[in-house]
Amino acid sequence: MKTRRLLIAALLLVLVLMAGGWPVANRWRPHTFHGMVIQSPQPAPDFTLTTHQGQRLSLSDLRGRLVVLYFGYTFCPDVCPTTLSEWARAMRLLGPKADRVQVIMITVDPARDTAEKLGAYLAHFDPRFIGLVGTEDEIARIATLYGIYYQKHEDGGENYLVDHTATQTAIDQEGYIKLVFPFGTKAEDIADDLAYMLR
Amino acid sequence: MRRALVYGLAALVGLLVIAAFAFVLLQPIQVLPRIRLAPAWVLRDREGRLVSNEDLRGQIVLYTFTYTRCRPPCPQPDRTMQAIYRRLAAADLGDVPVTLMTISFDVAHDSPAVLKAYAAAWGAEDDRWRFAVGTDPQRLKTVIGEGFQVYYQPREDGRFDFDPVYILVDGWGIIRREYRYRTLTPDVDRIVRHIGVLAEEVQNSRGAARLAYEAAHLFLCYAP
């Protein structure tokens, strides 16, 4: 009798491992981020710039929200619109949780990107996105500290292009850099990571 | 029946806990921490070409900062770089590219031509060990001082006070290890070993193995 019970228990254990183990492990396993995780012990460098609505805004003003920084420019022919479209789609996928996310685009072309132009450009993607403008020196410093390279092509006349790093940086609610998304990350993957950070 | 189910679940949880403990204790995979973003930069190399951090994306880069007139008792971090350069020439890192990068903060004196002669004196024969300098002292201070968090200060005699530092950056532009002279003795063996650990992660952290590497990061299985 006792042996039979033990056999049933062993059989059940195997069944649990086979049938229930995978979903349980899937539910409890740590989230695998699509972006590159950073465990920085230092807060993200703070900065203050002007929004497309003309207000001064510091990164630290957004503490408590998940902030996504993207460096681009409105004359950008392909990389910027592609990236911003994915982020707009990710915001839609997040649903109500997106209200706790602030996507920010900092221009790397301050000579041509006025606040008005940046605001109108971002509204095409998602009216909740904020554009930031500043002086050449302010933007150069911030981009440097966030590892963002940019360089103006001098050979294009007035219609010049600007080479720039196309990664996006996610800063958590406590103000620490948490994730770096490479160019080409799909909206579904972005939303999956952000939903986990907002859980 | 219910008791058997409870036992089964308890056994499953127990197995998971034991597996997690075994991973932490045995550390089958070791990694280097992802410390913070390395700063961006655009500098001139010893050939006078513009070179940027973006040109080195995808490569492991070991940085140090100095100036060409640095002579003993000036600490000469390029002595350590030279030893690492020689060791890496014989190391098997698969197809993972590694670049050593010496950045001069002496904008006024260290022209590309001066850097070229300096590089030749250290035996840096190719772009596996690059030398570069900025043109704008203020921007360079932002890169080295604020971004890499390295102290340097010009003196009245034209020389510099500075802390010798070696900073290891991965192909994503993330700082993975810092060797600061005043806190850690620069150790060629350790730096070369860490470059190997990073190269292994680059080569192996794909597909299902990526989960194991992420677990190593999660459980802080850091290479000593």
Side-chain angles (χ1 to χ4, degrees):
Chain A
M1 192 65 180
K2 199 174 175 183
T3 314
R4 196 174 161 193
R5 273 190 186 173
L6 276 172
L7 274 173
I8 290 171
L11 187 65
L12 274 173
L13 175 62
V14 170
L15 283 175
V16 164
L17 283 172
M18 284 171 68
W22 178 246
V24 167
N26 244 348
R27 178 158 174 72
W28 287 352
R29 76 180 163 86
H31 176 77
T32 305
F33 284 99
H34 303 279
M36 183 58 78
V37 181
I38 298 183
Q39 304 122 307
S40 180
Q42 301 170 0
D46 199 13
F47 58 81
T48 304
L49 290 170
T50 304
T51 69
H52 67 260
Q53 291 170 323
Q55 296 145 339
R56 296 294 278 173
L57 179 74
S58 299
L59 177 66
S60 51
D61 296 339
L62 298 168
R63 200 62 48 85
R65 307 191 71 188
L66 203 161
V67 177
V68 178
L69 287 186
Y70 177 62
F71 292 76
Y73 65 116
T74 62
F75 286 80
C76 178
D78 41 23
V79 170
C80 307
T82 305
T83 304
L84 290 167
S85 296
E86 287 301 315
W87 276 95
R89 209 156 65 78
M91 293 288 274
R92 288 196 293 275
L93 288 169
L94 280 169
K97 280 186 176 175
D99 293 340
R100 291 150 62 197
V101 177
Q102 184 59 64
V103 176
I104 288 177
M105 175 168 142
I106 299 178
T107 179
V108 291
D109 186 13
R112 290 185 299 186
D113 281 347
T114 61
E116 296 74 27
K117 197 176 281 181
L118 196 53
Y121 178 73
L122 291 174
H124 287 303
F125 300 98
D126 189 317
R128 292 170 291 188
F129 290 0
I130 292 178
L132 292 180
V133 295
T135 65
E136 295 269 4
D137 284 345
E138 284 173 331
I139 287 167
R141 178 178 169 274
I142 297 162
T144 295
L145 297 180
Y146 280 90
I148 303 294
Y149 152 88
Y150 68 94
Q151 187 79 9
K152 178 180 159 185
H153 277 249
E154 298 292 353
D155 53 356
E158 283 185 5
N159 298 317
Y160 59 83
L161 296 173
V162 182
D163 285 340
H164 63 96
T165 306
T167 54
Q168 307 107 57
T169 308
I171 299 165
D172 70 14
Q173 296 90 325
E174 280 78 45
Y176 290 84
I177 294 175
K178 178 76 178 177
L179 287 174
V180 176
F181 293 101
F183 169 69
T185 307
K186 292 285 168 214
E188 289 77 8
D189 294 341
I190 293 169
D192 189 35
D193 282 359
L194 265 49
Y196 181 78
M197 288 172 73
L198 292 164
R199 72 197 185 282
Chain B
M1 186 71 173
R2 187 176 290 173
R3 186 180 289 179
L5 190 65
V6 170
Y7 285 156
L9 277 173
L12 176 65
V13 172
L15 279 174
L16 288 174
V17 170
I18 288 168
F21 268 111
F23 196 93
V24 172
L25 291 174
L26 302 174
Q27 298 201 352
I29 293 174
Q30 290 193 327
V31 291
L32 300 179
R34 299 179 185 129
I35 299 173
R36 65 176 191 279
L37 288 174
W41 48 265
V42 182
L43 303 168
R44 289 225 174 259
D45 71 5
R46 59 180 138 164
E47 304 296 339
R49 300 171 296 197
L50 276 180
V51 58
S52 74
N53 62 303
E54 204 62 30
D55 296 324
L56 302 181
R57 189 166 285 271
Q59 302 186 27
I60 295 171
V61 185
L62 180 70
Y63 289 89
T64 197
F65 311 89
T66 186
Y67 65 112
T68 63
R69 289 180 291 173
C70 175
R71 302 274 187 275
C74 177
Q76 291 193 297
D78 281 327
R79 191 169 296 284
T80 300
M81 293 292 265
Q82 183 191 48
I84 293 168
Y85 176 69
R86 288 176 176 163
R87 288 277 298 277
L88 289 179
D92 178 16
L93 299 173
D95 56 358
V96 180
V98 180
T99 297
L100 307 187
M101 188 83 204
T102 294
I103 297 179
S104 166
F105 36 71
D106 193 352
V107 172
H109 179 269
D110 289 347
S111 63
V114 171
L115 282 181
K116 193 169 187 174
Y118 176 78
W122 282 109
E125 295 160 352
D126 49 43
D127 274 349
R128 289 183 300 116
W129 186 3
R130 305 179 79 148
F131 296 75
V133 65
T135 50
D136 180 341
Q138 196 59 43
R139 293 247 165 119
L140 198 59
K141 192 73 180 176
T142 303
V143 172
I144 301 175
E146 277 193 84
F148 283 110
Q149 301 179 1
V150 173
Y151 168 81
Y152 70 96
Q153 194 66 36
R155 296 195 319 223
E156 285 185 0
D157 62 2
R159 300 187 185 269
F160 287 82
D161 290 324
F162 70 102
D163 290 337
V165 172
Y166 309 88
I167 296 178
L168 192 56
V169 174
D170 69 14
W172 278 72
I174 297 170
I175 294 176
R176 303 297 293 270
R177 189 77 197 217
E178 297 172 309
Y179 311 88
R180 295 186 181 267
Y181 186 75
R182 291 194 176 166
T183 53
L184 289 166
T185 308
D187 178 336
V188 172
D189 287 342
R190 187 170 44 182
I191 294 175
V192 170
R193 185 161 46 81
H194 285 169
I195 289 171
V197 167
L198 205 44
E200 262 183 40
E201 183 177 348
V202 172
Q203 284 184 306
N204 300 333
S205 179
R206 289 172 192 158
R210 188 180 166 214
L211 287 176
Y213 273 93
E214 290 307 317
H217 280 284
L218 184 72
F219 292 124
L220 313 178
C221 300
Y222 296 146

